[in-house]
Amino acid sequence: MIKAHLHNNSLRGKGTAVVVGASLSGLMTGIALAREGLHVTILERASEGRPGGAGLQVDGARFGQSKTDKLLRNLASQGKSTVQLWTTIESRLREEAKLTAGIELHYNTRVEEVGQDTHSAWAITDQEETVHGDILVGADGHHSMVRRFVAPHRPDATFAGYMVWMASMNEEDLPEEQRPSYHEPKVRMLDSRNGFLFGSIIDREDGTGNRRLGCTWYDNSRNDLLRHLGCVKGDVVLHSLRGKDVPDQTLTELNDQATKRWDEPFATVLRHATATRTLIGIPIKEYVPDQLIKGRVALVGDAAHVPAPITASGFNQSLVDAATLGSCVSKGLNGEAALEALKAYEGERLTIVRRMVQSGQSYSQSFGRA
């Protein structure tokens, strides 16, 4: 049962917020808002501790960062510029959220509808519970339901014209002679005639001292396959392509191409992923926002803006979204203050995130049509 928010101003502090989504953006936003004295309810449709194997580029300290910005970067990567596993970042953020006063985390809770009036915003769950807040924040990813409320004229991210194959494996599963030196760079870019590959070496936090090797293979040659399998319809991405759904012929082609195109150890990582059907094919999507708010409802992270991964900016800009929104609500949300706070947030972020997405579009337009 989700507790009803208190509406007595003497009891509710600076105000209340509902955050839809408890992935990285939602957790960071919840932490940032709670640090400013808000009571925050985070609603997440998935179960706690869901898996995720992707590596994310995290920027280190930046000029003029706030205390909240610094905290979030420390949680993500100890404040260093490095590549971190999605699961590592999520685990740290989740534990911080649980320890932060004023945050309620609700997993296995799907939000079916959001709305607002002159006094509050709300989310209606699949259990027909209505959760009110002074503001509501959509942190529900690139398929955002909250975006449909904020920008019904442009609800969907659009297909960029290419995909990436993602694969990873633990280094102890590699032959010893293929395990990379500890002096090798954490990220490598490998070029080939029809695409390129980013290879990453990521430290694990399982106490073994071993690492995880990841590949992101950019591929513009299989758009017909994506459409045939229903991953892309028109210019909208519907879903990713899981290993179990990849046709046998495509797996054979990928295995052969990995051997011919890529250096070790990444060729072996890819062959392992095709053999075990653990690779994932992700159609790349982009979204340049026209707006980030509508009244008492705001968007952050991939719900607000979806850049091509070539920009390596998605996570870092989501972190700044969260820290900026926290700063904007610092004076509280009583009365018209909620509307003014969200206007200030949009004023600070909209131009920046538009440029960030647009910076990757020229690449997408050339590579996707090659």
Side-chain angles (χ1 to χ4, degrees):
M1 179 68 68
I2 300 172
K3 298 176 183 177
H5 285 318
L6 299 171
H7 292 279
N8 182 326
N9 288 344
S10 65
L11 297 176
R12 59 198 285 274
K14 287 186 174 181
T16 57
V18 180
V19 177
V20 180
S23 187
L24 306 186
S25 293
L27 291 170
M28 290 192 293
T29 300
I31 292 166
L33 297 178
R35 282 172 58 83
E36 298 297 340
L38 270 62
H39 184 283
V40 183
T41 303
I42 306 177
L43 309 174
E44 169 57 49
R45 66 181 181 178
S47 300
E48 182 175 352
R50 54 188 159 164
L56 299 175
Q57 175 64 44
V58 183
D59 292 344
R62 65 189 185 101
F63 178 76
Q65 66 183 146
S66 66
K67 291 182 179 179
T68 297
D69 189 309
K70 184 176 181 179
L71 169 67
L72 295 175
R73 292 183 194 279
N74 282 336
L75 289 168
S77 65
Q78 285 82 53
K80 302 174 184 177
S81 292
T82 184
V83 177
Q84 293 281 303
L85 285 173
W86 185 97
T87 48
T88 299
I89 300 174
E90 191 275 340
S91 177
R92 293 173 184 162
L93 291 171
R94 176 161 37 95
E95 291 309 307
E96 179 70 18
K98 288 181 176 180
L99 295 172
T100 301
I103 293 181
E104 291 182 39
L105 262 170
H106 297 273
Y107 289 94
N108 300 303
T109 304
R110 179 184 294 272
V111 173
E112 302 283 0
E113 183 181 340
V114 298
Q116 65 178 331
D117 58 23
T118 56
H119 303 293
S120 70
W122 59 81
I124 302 174
T125 75
D126 54 355
Q127 301 299 312
E128 298 185 350
E129 294 181 294
T130 302
V131 187
H132 285 266
D134 292 301
I135 61 173
L136 182 142
V137 183
D140 51 340
H142 54 80
H143 281 305
S144 173
M145 180 271 297
V146 181
R147 188 199 298 139
R148 294 182 177 277
F149 177 84
V150 172
H153 60 294
R154 288 189 59 238
D156 297 310
T158 55
F159 180 47
Y162 60 99
M163 68 183 298
V164 295
W165 297 102
M166 299 192 69
S168 63
M169 67 184 294
N170 293 329
E171 73 170 340
E172 62 265 33
D173 296 327
L174 283 165
E176 284 194 28
E177 65 273 13
Q178 290 183 6
R179 297 176 190 176
S181 162
Y182 279 83
H183 300 291
E184 289 192 26
K186 298 287 187 180
V187 178
R188 291 174 57 192
M189 178 178 171
L190 307 176
D191 281 305
S192 183
R193 182 169 53 86
N194 292 316
F196 60 93
L197 177 146
F198 281 105
S200 58
I201 305 170
I202 306 171
D203 294 329
R204 290 171 16 215
E205 293 192 342
D206 55 6
T208 65
N210 290 318
R211 300 166 295 175
R212 191 161 181 85
L213 279 67
C215 299
T216 304
W217 174 0
Y218 285 66
D219 183 358
N220 61 3
S221 67
R222 293 182 169 87
N223 292 348
D224 289 344
L225 175 69
L226 295 175
R227 297 185 186 281
H228 174 71
L229 296 177
C231 300
V232 176
K233 184 176 182 180
D235 64 354
V236 176
V237 174
L238 300 181
H239 59 82
S240 295
L241 180 56
R242 299 288 172 178
K244 65 182 180 62
D245 299 319
V246 180
D248 290 342
Q249 179 61 35
T250 302
L251 288 174
T252 299
E253 292 171 0
L254 292 171
N255 186 78
D256 292 344
Q257 289 169 351
T259 300
K260 294 175 182 177
R261 292 187 184 183
W262 310 122
D263 297 339
E264 297 294 355
F266 302 109
T268 294
V269 173
L270 287 162
R271 288 194 298 267
H272 172 82
T274 60
T276 58
R277 288 187 177 266
T278 54
L279 86 167
I280 301 174
I282 302 176
I284 298 305
K285 59 202 80 68
E286 295 169 320
Y287 186 81
V288 182
D290 295 326
Q291 61 194 92
L292 300 178
I293 67 167
K294 182 177 182 179
R296 294 175 176 270
V297 181
L299 301 172
V300 296
D302 284 348
H305 42 77
V306 183
I310 193 71
T311 67
S313 299
F315 173 77
N316 295 290
Q317 291 299 328
S318 297
L319 186 153
V320 179
D321 286 348
T324 301
L325 185 57
S327 176
C328 290
V329 305
S330 61
K331 295 182 179 179
L333 299 178
N334 293 334
E336 293 296 308
L339 301 176
E340 295 305 315
L342 295 194
K343 288 179 183 177
Y345 163 71
E346 183 180 65
E348 288 196 38
R349 296 297 296 151
L350 182 57
T351 298
I352 293 172
V353 298
R354 281 179 57 84
R355 288 174 178 167
M356 180 262 296
V357 180
Q358 289 166 342
S359 71
Q361 285 188 312
S362 58
Y363 168 78
S364 294
Q365 290 165 1
S366 60
F367 183 66
R369 295 172 184 169

